[in-house]
Amino acid sequence: MPLMAVTGNTLVLAAPPAPARAPRAPRASRGPLAPYRRLFALPGTRRFTAGNLLARLPMGMFGVSAVMMIAGQRGSYALAGAVTATGLAATALVAPWTARLIDRHGQARIAVPATVIAVLGSLSLIVCVRTEAPAWTLFASYAATATTPNIGGMSRARWTHLLQGSPGAHHTAMSFEQAADELCYMLGPVLAAFLCSVVLPEAGTLAAAALLLTGMLVFTSCRATQPPVTAGPRQGSPLRALAPLLPLFLATGVVFGSMEIASIAHLDALGLGAASGPVLALQAAGSCAAGLLYGTLRPRGLRTCLIAMAAAMALPWAAAATGSLLPLALALLLAGMATAPTMVTAMSRVHARTPQGRLNEGMTLAVTAILAGISLGAATAGTLIDHLGPATAYALPAAAALAAVLLASAVRRSR
């Protein structure tokens, strides 16, 4: 109703003020990438992800760089392989302890000095190779790189802290992390091989060390997203909690390690050794794409993902019988697409089982089991190749994937 007021001799009708409009709700993000846009709209996530990716890329560079540098300078692939194997064994022993310290004292406080030790080990390796120091110095130097923190585990711990109570967003974040793993392990060896062969034999190791230190400094500078350190005694043992799952991760690692060796040997036997790099990159690209897609979908059960992976791992075995490159490349692409959903779902099980405040240690134990499986799978596949031929070695990843299905069923029954 209008209000009336008298001004001098004039009657003024004043209209009532218009009601204030309610603020418009922000338009929901739509499209296939909407879950990822919402994820990186959270404060601080873009910066720590940038540091995470910079520090994670060297994980695919160090091994290839060390092999090419040592073999090129010392003329022995046996020595190069032994040095990198020693470093992997040292990582299996040291990484869980580093992760435990990170959970207990905070990411920034432990990860930076641990990274500095690893970088100094890499630089020492370069000096020892260049100065023709005794062979044992190469082993000691590369073993020092075992203090490298598990950057993927620390990043996943941050997402878990930020996304408490949001299982859908957490699933998307874990899918992104798995895709990032695949991307870095796909690009890392290519970059390392280019630097070592075109620039300098030491260039790959130098670049990897610089990227690792820079990325870790950027990552740890984001204090607002760092998981809090809980005071008081630690409840529960991650090793005991994850004991039923670790054989499953070991079997999955056998799948990865044996598939890579079998593919390299099979392509070399066909006279297509130069195609091994692009073909293996195609497998990693399939896993990366599947990981990103899986983050936009509803998560599936672990047993379902493992069954799909077991079926996909039989495809390269069948394609190898054709003796042709195209069927094998397509089969490896499909096999790669089956691995990312499996790893995302399996890591979610790790999150659920790990005691509170010890997530990074739990994640590192799972990764250590995968690395041990990769070594076992590579060694076993090499033996099969020598005695039965490269095509037969493709039976090993299929058998390991089937074993993972059986192990998951056993865990399900025990629960």
Side-chain angles (χ1 to χ4, degrees):
M1 182 176 179
L3 302 178
M4 292 183 294
V6 178
T7 303
N9 297 324
T10 307
L11 179 66
V12 179
L13 296 178
R21 291 185 178 181
R24 181 179 296 178
R27 182 177 298 176
S29 183
R30 297 179 180 179
L33 297 180
Y36 294 102
R37 283 196 291 266
R38 290 193 293 268
L39 203 64
F40 291 106
L42 297 174
T45 56
R46 295 184 181 183
R47 185 176 177 184
F48 87 71
T49 298
N52 162 35
L53 293 177
L54 278 177
R56 193 180 297 192
L57 182 61
M59 300 302 104
M61 297 176 63
F62 277 120
V64 174
S65 299
V67 167
M68 295 185 70
M69 177 175 64
I70 295 171
Q73 297 288 335
R74 297 296 179 94
S76 173
Y77 278 99
L79 176 61
V83 169
T84 54
T86 300
L88 186 61
T91 300
L93 294 174
V94 174
W97 292 98
T98 305
R100 179 178 297 182
L101 290 173
I102 288 172
D103 284 335
R104 183 169 296 177
H105 300 290
Q107 293 184 353
R109 189 174 178 183
I110 300 299
V112 173
T115 301
V116 170
I117 294 173
V119 168
L120 291 176
S122 297
L123 297 179
S124 174
L125 178 65
I126 294 174
V127 172
C128 291
V129 171
R130 291 285 292 180
T131 59
E132 298 185 358
W136 68 266
T137 62
L138 308 185
F139 289 92
S141 298
Y142 200 72
T145 64
T147 62
T148 303
N150 179 13
I151 183 67
M154 291 194 297
S155 184
R156 287 175 171 93
R158 292 198 179 211
W159 286 119
T160 301
H161 166 62
L162 292 173
L163 302 173
Q164 293 178 12
S166 302
H170 185 264
H171 167 67
T172 301
M174 295 304 101
S175 299
F176 170 80
E177 290 295 324
Q178 185 60 36
D181 276 339
E182 299 294 343
L183 181 64
C184 291
Y185 277 101
M186 177 177 64
L187 297 179
V190 176
L191 177 60
F194 172 78
L195 291 173
C196 291
S197 59
V198 175
V199 184
L200 282 173
E202 300 85 3
T205 301
L206 281 172
L211 287 171
L212 174 62
L213 184 58
T214 303
M216 193 64 70
L217 290 175
V218 173
F219 180 84
T220 54
S221 68
C222 305
R223 301 297 181 95
T225 55
Q226 180 176 275
V229 178
T230 56
R234 302 281 166 166
Q235 300 296 326
S237 166
L239 181 60
R240 183 177 302 173
L242 297 177
L245 286 176
L246 293 182
L248 188 150
F249 283 105
L250 180 70
T252 307
V254 172
V255 172
F256 300 152
S258 58
M259 182 67 76
E260 181 176 358
I261 298 299
S263 298
I264 292 173
H266 181 67
L267 290 170
D268 189 54
L270 295 176
L272 300 171
S276 58
V279 169
L280 290 175
L282 189 64
Q283 180 184 353
S287 184
C288 178
L292 292 174
L293 177 62
Y294 190 57
T296 66
L297 304 175
R298 184 178 179 180
R300 306 296 177 184
L302 178 57
R303 190 165 177 268
T304 301
C305 293
L306 285 169
I307 291 174
M309 186 177 75
M313 289 304 155
L315 297 177
W317 189 13
T322 65
S324 178
L325 177 62
L326 184 59
L328 180 62
L330 180 60
L332 288 173
L333 175 66
L334 295 175
M337 293 179 69
T339 59
T342 302
M343 293 305 301
V344 171
T345 309
M347 288 299 181
S348 296
R349 290 287 183 90
V350 173
H351 295 156
R353 283 177 171 263
T354 303
Q356 186 176 5
R358 307 189 72 171
L359 180 58
N360 194 58
E361 184 179 352
M363 295 287 301
T364 302
L365 286 171
V367 171
T368 301
I370 293 174
L371 293 176
I374 290 174
S375 299
L376 178 61
T380 308
T383 303
L384 288 176
I385 291 165
D386 289 342
H387 290 84
L388 301 175
T392 307
Y394 275 115
L396 182 57
L402 182 60
V405 174
L406 298 178
L407 288 169
S409 300
V411 172
R412 187 177 182 182
R413 285 195 299 269
S414 67
R415 292 181 62 191

